[in-house]
Amino acid sequence: MNPTEKALWFVESHLLEAVSLDDIAQSSGVSRFHVTRAFGAATGRSVMGYMRARRLTEAARKLAGGAPDILSLALDAGYNSHEAFTRAFRDQFGTTPELVRARGTLDNLDLVEPILMDQSFLATLEPPRFETSRPFLIAGLGERYSCESSAAIPMQWQRFGPYIGNIPGETGDVAYGVCVNGDDAGNFDYIAGVEVSDFSDLPKELSRVRVPAQKYAVFAHREHISTIRRTVNTIWNKWLPASGHEIADAPEFERYGTEFDPRSGNGGLEIWIPVKA
């Protein structure tokens, strides 16, 4: 079983227990950061967000069946009060626990069912090469994403397109998609950018990232850009757990060379994953 499968099993088998991200990571045999990244790559959800949504879905089922004690359901779902449970329930389903119980139906509720992993989603991965990067500077447009909202990254690249070739201090003809500042909830900053010689005279709307000298495992993604998630999923859920390598605390990034055609999405790119030396 890969880390995401182990995490799914642990969440589903401990749904009514007090479970932390540390518990899930330990059951998966990887770090907190690794399980967060692997789960997001495989499912498009954060692991803790998935667990909350599953708990609320099961609570909704009980309410539709006429469960009399909403506070008891709230406690089972990990909430300390009726009010906190109601807020989370409304955020998830757009209605209140009382109305679901009164209607006695789950119609029009966006339920989250258990995820079944599809092994065919894993690509056959070319062995990576290993490089130690030189330190360099990236300037570009930055946005903060969750696992669920990261599908908007292509629009970010579209907004960044007019900047390419017009940024003060821009060097080379390579573009970078840099992931930094990831947290336990699966949120991260993504910078669509280019290398610059320094950060002076940059437009104020541009984000700045310093990429230090760092050992990287470098993977080729040769298919259309739309299938990149399959490659990322394979790296985090198949290659990395079997490799014996550990993730380093450094930016990870996509490298788009001159062979990549941004109009068609063809030409391939590289995925650079920081590993400990």
Side-chain angles (χ1 to χ4, degrees):
M1 295 175 71
N2 63 50
T4 295
E5 290 175 314
K6 292 177 181 177
L8 285 168
W9 177 86
F10 189 83
V11 168
E12 293 297 335
S13 60
H14 297 78
L15 206 57
L16 298 182
E17 301 175 22
V19 171
S20 69
L21 184 59
D22 284 328
D23 296 328
I24 298 172
Q26 184 176 19
S27 75
S28 302
V30 295
S31 68
R32 292 159 57 102
F33 177 77
H34 187 159
V35 76
T36 298
R37 191 71 175 87
F39 197 93
T43 69
R45 290 180 173 273
S46 70
V47 61
M48 299 306 287
Y50 171 75
M51 184 172 66
R52 286 191 295 272
R54 286 287 299 122
R55 286 173 168 173
L56 290 168
T57 291
E58 295 308 311
R61 283 200 170 92
K62 293 175 182 177
L63 287 164
D69 188 354
I70 292 178
L71 180 58
S72 178
L73 289 181
L75 295 174
D76 286 344
Y79 297 91
N80 293 325
S81 68
H82 185 294
E83 292 76 15
F85 174 67
T86 297
R87 284 195 300 271
F89 196 92
R90 186 185 292 112
D91 289 343
Q92 179 72 28
F93 300 119
T95 187
T96 65
E98 289 80 5
L99 285 175
V100 171
R101 183 174 61 184
R103 290 200 310 261
T105 178
L106 296 172
D107 292 349
N108 301 318
L109 296 187
D110 185 17
L111 302 177
V112 175
E113 303 295 354
I115 293 175
L116 299 177
M117 289 293 292
D118 179 3
Q119 289 298 325
S120 67
F121 188 69
L122 297 176
T124 300
L125 196 67
E126 295 181 28
R129 72 178 190 273
F130 291 88
E131 288 195 20
T132 298
S133 71
R134 58 178 173 78
F136 60 100
L137 307 177
I138 296 293
L141 289 182
E143 296 285 347
R144 189 146 184 89
Y145 292 100
S146 65
C147 294
E148 293 80 4
S149 67
S150 62
I153 287 176
M155 293 180 62
Q156 182 181 347
W157 275 105
Q158 188 176 38
R159 293 194 303 274
F160 180 62
Y163 286 89
I164 297 177
N166 298 297
I167 295 176
E170 183 175 343
T171 64
D173 51 9
V174 174
Y176 295 85
V178 186
C179 293
V180 291
N181 301 326
D183 64 21
D184 291 346
N187 303 306
F188 60 95
D189 292 329
Y190 183 90
I191 293 85
V194 294
E195 184 177 355
V196 294
S197 56
D198 59 66
F199 288 150
S200 62
D201 300 322
L202 290 176
K204 63 180 180 180
E205 68 268 20
L206 295 187
S207 298
R208 299 148 173 81
V209 177
R210 294 180 181 272
V211 180
Q214 169 65 46
K215 181 180 179 180
Y216 281 89
V218 184
F219 298 86
H221 175 81
R222 303 187 190 280
E223 300 178 6
H224 190 271
I225 184 62
S226 64
T227 65
I228 189 173
R229 181 174 151 187
R230 181 170 57 188
T231 301
V232 173
N233 181 21
T234 306
I235 292 168
W236 286 92
N237 279 296
K238 187 177 182 181
W239 179 84
L240 191 55
S243 71
H245 290 283
E246 294 183 43
I247 291 298
D249 184 13
E252 62 181 276
F253 56 87
E254 304 140 18
R255 184 183 186 276
Y256 298 87
T258 55
E259 67 280 2
F260 179 74
D261 179 2
R263 292 183 64 85
S264 69
N266 293 314
L269 60 121
E270 292 180 338
I271 301 169
W272 290 54
I273 303 295
V275 293
K276 292 182 179 179

